[in-house]
């Protein structure tokens, strides 16, 4: 393994976060969602990594996806930390990811997420998600460069 690949692997293995949200770093719609989460995640339980970052690509590969797959937001969870034994990790994408994140934000979110899961079939939830995802650049545009951090929240971003 070449040195840069080994360094990238070590950086992923060093992640101690238990919940990492992978998002499209050039999508303004996705970045707005990240901005909202940064403000309302008072427990600071979520870390963020662009899908286009080294961390994002490595986690995508670990979950069996292509490194350049930016088709869905992904929540990576591991009770002992992402960098620890990955056999315990779980990966949620599309509507399951969105609802799990909302559920983690407190009682109103938990009620909403549980209700949506109980009432709306997964196929319908994912169809709505896919429609939004396919049109996300049309809704709010696209950045020229990937957003990889935020000065105010730099400790919440993984590269």
């Amino acid at each position: 393994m070449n040195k840069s690949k080994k360094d990238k692997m070590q950086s992923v293995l060093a992640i101690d976060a238990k919940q990492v949200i992978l998002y499209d770093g050039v999508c303004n719609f996705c970045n707005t969602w990240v901005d909202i989460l940064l403000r309302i995640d008072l427990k600071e339980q979520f870390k963020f990594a662009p899908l286009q970052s080294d961390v994002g690509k490595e986690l995508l590969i670990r979950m069996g996806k292509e490194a350049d797959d930016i088709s869905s937001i992904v929540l990576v969870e591991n009770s002992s930390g992402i960098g620890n034994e990955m056999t315990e990790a779980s990966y949620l994408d599309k509507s399951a990811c969105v609802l799990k994140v909302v559920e983690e934000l407190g009682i109103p979110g938990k009620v909403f997420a549980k209700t949506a899961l109980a009432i709306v079939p997964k196929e319908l939830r994912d169809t709505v998600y896919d429609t939004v995802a396919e049109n996300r650049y049309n809704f709010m545009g696209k950045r020229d460069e990937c957003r990889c951090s935020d000065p105010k929240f730099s400790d919440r971003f993984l590269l």
Side-chain angles (χ1 to χ4, degrees):
M1 182 181 302
N2 67 34
K3 184 173 176 12
S4 65
K5 179 74 171 168
K6 185 176 180 182
D7 290 344
K8 289 177 188 176
M9 191 70 130
Q10 287 174 339
S11 70
V12 172
L13 295 175
I15 298 170
D16 66 354
K18 294 182 180 177
Q19 294 178 303
V20 177
I21 297 173
L22 305 178
Y23 67 98
D24 181 350
V26 298
C27 170
N28 286 331
F29 182 82
C30 303
N31 278 286
T32 298
W33 195 68
V34 169
D35 289 339
I36 291 167
L37 287 173
L38 285 167
R39 286 193 299 274
I40 64 174
D41 177 20
L42 301 178
K43 295 185 217 171
E44 299 183 358
Q45 60 196 349
F46 297 111
K47 300 280 187 185
F48 302 89
L51 289 159
Q52 298 90 337
S53 69
D54 291 338
V55 168
K57 289 176 181 179
E58 181 61 33
L59 290 172
L60 283 170
I61 290 168
R62 285 180 178 220
M63 66 184 285
K65 292 191 171 206
E66 295 293 322
D68 62 351
D69 183 351
I70 60 168
S71 64
S72 176
I73 192 166
V74 178
L75 175 63
V76 184
E77 294 185 298
N78 187 345
S79 59
S80 58
I82 301 303
N84 295 311
E85 184 58 44
M86 291 301 288
T87 56
E88 299 175 34
S90 64
Y91 305 89
L92 299 171
D93 63 1
K94 299 186 179 194
S95 65
C97 170
V98 173
L99 291 173
K100 179 65 174 176
V101 169
V102 169
E103 178 183 327
E104 295 288 324
L105 294 172
I107 295 196
K110 186 172 282 206
V111 170
F112 173 80
K114 295 290 186 186
T115 302
L117 286 167
I119 295 175
V120 183
K122 181 179 182 350
E123 296 78 24
L124 179 58
R125 292 192 323 262
D126 283 347
T127 298
V128 170
Y129 180 91
D130 288 338
T131 301
V132 172
E134 290 167 8
N135 293 288
R136 66 187 183 267
Y137 298 142
N138 296 332
F139 294 142
M140 297 180 70
K142 184 175 175 179
R143 296 171 183 233
D144 292 330
E145 293 182 8
C146 181
R147 173 195 187 181
C148 293
S149 189
D150 183 306
K152 186 175 177 185
F153 299 100
S154 61
D155 61 324
R156 307 280 300 280
F157 286 86
L158 307 172
L159 303 173

